[in-house]
């Protein structure tokens, strides 16, 4: 079954055509600089990479280029659009309404529009992608796979904020959580690796990329997660602050003369690794400064990240009353063995015993715990596209 996976962002569209049954990627690529100068499309078929300049104005133009490429006589991988069985869209926010991957029927488009205010930087672009595909290949079913839906079974004590309850009831202000596709994928892989039924396993997934979120997954459901209503809370990230004393927001505005926009910019774009180190949002740059140049603020930025990560793991073990597997994924989690070592240090009391030698792997699926570690510590590369393809197949097969 051929699934076209689309991830439409503000100025780019990632695409991938996958045979979901064999898990073979036939082509993957990226349309870049939509609405900017010199847009281009680049793609990879097996190991061969190509790119070309294109003349487009919007997401529809970008997706038309993608579809043309798929059936291109010279470069294409399909004979006709009939060979696309379904399109799976990465959709950031499903709100409370969409708790599962969903077939995007025309009559639901209004409901999708209503979600835009929940993720104004992401959902409108996702929706533009859906509209364009519906226009360009109207016969093919479209499925939305939400970043939030894997967290839809959070208990109220984990998703209601201790604020006036009306905010939740009247405005839908609550913890939603993100990166659900990644948490779902790596937790299923983890259950497989530890030979425990998914429905019985207690797993903590640490998704550590530019964005960072951890999830407590009990019996196949996310029961707590570190991102919330917004994507700025929890563990400090590349440029986002993570949790801090919320009283500071009003203090900075009322007593220090900051505008609301300045505080917003500060906590989303100037904090985290970048804010503390003053060097970069990229973990590798910060590590280089700390370890090769002895930069103290860079080391402090890493220490804060690892310390907060460790505390979240401890709290999720408490929340689940146990742990079978601790999973590290995404850029830092998959590759940064130094971060895994720092986070797992002094966690023996909680059954977390890292094997330092085995841990020295980058970008590979591996069990990096000691033989006698009660908790299995796993590095698992995430594959959100495969998960989107599998979800799309599940929804389409249930039609
Ligand atoms: P995104 O959230 O944009 O998908 P990624 O999952 O690609 O991001 O993660 C990007 C982060 O992973 C960056 O901070 C980068 O420095 C970090 N990273 C990538 N490779 C390594 C590595 N070998 N060691 C440490 N960190 C790494």
């Amino acid at each position: 079954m051929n699934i076209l996976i689309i991830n439409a962002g503000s100025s780019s569209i990632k695409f991938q055509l996958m045979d979901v049954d064999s898990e073979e990627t036939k082509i993957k690529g990226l349309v870049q600089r939509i609405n900017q100068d010199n847009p281009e499309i680049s793609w990879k078929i097996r190991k061969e990479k190509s790119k070309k300049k294109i003349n487009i104005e919007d997401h529809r133009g970008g997706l038309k280029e993608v579809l043309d490429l798929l059936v291109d006589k010279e470069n294409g991988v399909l004979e006709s659009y009939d060979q696309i069985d379904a399109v799976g869209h990465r959709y950031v926010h499903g709100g409370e309404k969409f708790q599962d991957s969903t077939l995007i029927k025309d009559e639901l488009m209004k409901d999708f529009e209503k979600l835009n205010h929940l993720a104004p930087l992401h959902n409108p672009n996702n929706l533009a992608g859906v509209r364009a595909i519906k226009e360009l290949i109207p016969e093919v079913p479209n499925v939305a796979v939400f970043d939030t839906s894997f967290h839809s079974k959070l208990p109220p004590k984990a998703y209601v904020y201790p604020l006036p309850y009306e905010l939740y009831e009247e405005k839908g202000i609550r913890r939603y959580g993100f990166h659900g596709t990644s948490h779902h994928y790596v937790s299923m892989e983890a259950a497989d690796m530890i030979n425990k039924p998914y429905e019985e396993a207690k797993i903590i997934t640490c998704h550590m990329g530019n964005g960072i979120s951890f999830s407590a997954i009990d019996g196949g459901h996310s029961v707590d997660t570190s991102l919330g209503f917004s994507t700025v809370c929890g563990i400090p990230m590349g440029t986002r602050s993570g949790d801090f004393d919320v009283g500071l927001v009003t203090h900075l505005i009322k007593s220090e003369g900051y505008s609301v926009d300045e505080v917003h910019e500060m906590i989303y774009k100037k904090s985290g690794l970048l804010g503390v180190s003053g060097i970069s949002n990229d973990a590798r740059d910060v590590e280089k400064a700390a370890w090769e140049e002895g930069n103290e603020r860079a080391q402090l930025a890493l220490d804060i990240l690892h310390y907060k990560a460790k505390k979240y793991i401890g709290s999720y073990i408490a929340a689940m009353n146990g742990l079978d597997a601790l999973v590290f994924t995404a850029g830092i989690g998959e590759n940064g063995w130094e971060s895994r070592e720092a986070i797992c240090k002094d966690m023996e009391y909680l059954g977390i015993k890292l094997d330092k030698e085995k841990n020295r792997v980058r970008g590979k699926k591996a069990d990096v715990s000691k033989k006698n570690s009660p908790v299995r510590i796993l590095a698992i590369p995430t594959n959100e596209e495969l998960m989107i393809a599998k979800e799309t197949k599940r929804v389409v097969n249930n039609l």
Side-chain angles (χ1 to χ4, degrees):
M1 186 177 201
N2 285 328
I3 311 276
L4 175 62
I5 304 136
I6 298 293
N7 182 352
S10 58
S11 66
S12 71
I13 300 169
K14 286 189 196 146
F15 64 93
Q16 189 167 146
L17 185 81
M18 184 186 279
D19 176 350
V20 64
D21 302 307
S22 65
E23 299 187 7
E24 179 207 355
T25 295
K26 298 191 166 175
I27 183 170
K28 69 192 274 192
L30 179 67
V31 178
Q32 284 183 91
R33 294 196 290 279
I34 301 169
N35 299 320
Q36 296 170 7
D37 292 341
N38 303 319
E40 69 169 36
I41 182 167
S42 52
W43 67 93
K44 194 166 142 189
I45 301 177
R46 279 178 222 99
K47 291 212 163 113
E48 206 172 312
K49 290 185 185 168
S50 316
K51 66 177 172 186
K52 75 168 190 195
K53 297 229 173 306
I54 49 177
N55 191 2
I56 56 161
E57 278 170 13
D58 52 15
H59 285 81
R60 189 181 188 283
L63 282 165
K64 172 93 175 50
E65 289 289 339
V66 171
L67 292 172
D68 286 349
L69 172 65
L70 294 183
V71 295
D72 186 84
K73 290 246 157 11
E74 239 173 80
N75 297 307
V77 290
L78 298 176
E79 274 156 29
S80 80
Y81 298 144
D82 298 346
Q83 290 170 295
I84 304 173
D85 295 297
V87 181
H89 296 264
R90 184 207 177 190
Y91 218 98
V92 167
H93 214 307
E96 285 212 305
K97 174 147 182 99
F98 296 106
Q99 309 220 332
D100 198 0
S101 305
T102 301
L103 182 73
I104 314 174
K105 294 187 190 144
D106 290 344
E107 56 265 35
L108 285 179
M109 291 300 273
K110 281 245 160 338
D111 294 315
F112 276 78
E113 267 169 35
K114 284 187 199 150
L115 299 172
N116 280 354
H117 75 285
L118 290 171
L121 298 180
H122 296 100
N123 272 33
N125 301 311
N126 303 156
L127 190 58
V130 172
R131 281 215 177 92
I133 291 287
K134 274 179 171 282
E135 274 174 42
L136 293 163
I137 41 173
E139 307 303 321
V140 181
N142 288 272
V143 173
V145 180
F146 301 98
D147 270 18
T148 49
S149 64
F150 183 59
H151 305 296
S152 66
K153 300 268 189 328
L154 293 184
K157 65 186 175 189
Y159 73 70
V160 175
Y161 290 120
L163 292 168
Y165 192 71
E166 297 73 38
L167 282 180
Y168 166 58
E169 276 189 318
E170 291 165 18
K171 299 184 191 296
I173 289 178
R174 50 161 285 182
R175 180 185 304 282
Y176 286 101
F178 297 91
H179 297 136
T181 315
S182 175
H183 291 296
H184 192 180
Y185 176 77
V186 296
S187 58
M188 290 205 307
E189 290 282 299
D192 209 38
M193 279 171 85
I194 64 171
N195 270 321
K196 191 152 187 172
Y198 193 44
E199 301 69 35
E200 290 169 22
K202 292 180 192 292
I203 301 170
I204 295 174
T205 44
C206 309
H207 177 107
M208 303 180 74
N210 277 311
I212 296 183
S213 74
F214 286 14
S215 273
I217 297 161
D218 197 352
H221 297 297
S222 170
V223 295
D224 208 345
T225 190
S226 62
L227 290 179
F229 176 82
S230 76
T231 55
V232 78
C233 57
I235 295 136
M237 305 166 226
T239 62
R240 288 173 254 167
S241 63
D243 299 339
F244 65 96
D245 178 352
V246 72
L248 275 172
V249 170
T250 48
H251 172 77
L252 289 172
I253 295 168
K254 285 168 84 148
S255 308
E256 297 289 344
Y258 283 78
S259 70
V260 172
D261 284 348
E262 281 168 340
V263 174
H264 184 92
E265 178 90 357
M266 179 193 293
I267 61 179
Y268 278 89
K269 301 217 170 118
K270 296 182 176 170
S271 297
L273 289 176
L274 174 66
V276 177
S277 72
I279 289 170
S280 170
N281 64 304
D282 192 290
R284 278 166 298 187
D285 296 340
V286 181
E287 289 175 353
K288 188 164 172 280
W291 302 336
E292 291 175 24
E293 294 147 27
N295 185 303
E296 286 179 14
R297 267 175 53 191
Q299 186 58 54
L300 177 61
L302 295 170
D303 288 346
I304 295 172
L305 168 63
H306 299 148
Y307 179 60
K308 297 274 163 98
K310 184 191 281 283
K311 291 211 301 185
Y312 260 91
I313 292 167
S315 72
Y316 285 170
I317 294 175
M320 291 193 291
N321 188 24
L323 184 65
D324 298 306
L326 175 64
V327 184
F328 290 94
T329 193
I332 303 171
E334 290 163 22
N335 300 297
W337 61 258
E338 300 89 342
S339 282
R340 293 194 298 261
E341 186 175 311
I343 293 167
C344 294
K345 187 164 178 272
D346 299 333
M347 300 269 268
E348 289 83 0
Y349 176 80
L350 294 172
I352 295 170
K353 298 182 185 176
L354 187 88
D355 185 317
K356 287 190 182 176
E357 294 308 314
K358 283 196 213 157
N359 183 45
R360 293 193 178 194
V361 286
R362 297 198 198 274
K364 279 200 196 121
K365 206 183 207 189
D367 183 332
V368 297
S369 35
K370 281 188 179 154
K371 255 205 167 111
N372 68 350
S373 177
V375 172
R376 306 317 298 167
I377 309 164
L378 310 172
I380 304 179
T382 193
N383 192 340
E384 287 161 284
E385 289 77 16
L386 176 58
M387 196 69 220
I388 293 172
K390 284 184 174 180
E391 282 291 288
T392 302
K393 175 181 170 183
R394 179 175 68 80
V395 170
V396 170
N397 280 352
N398 281 340
L399 285 181

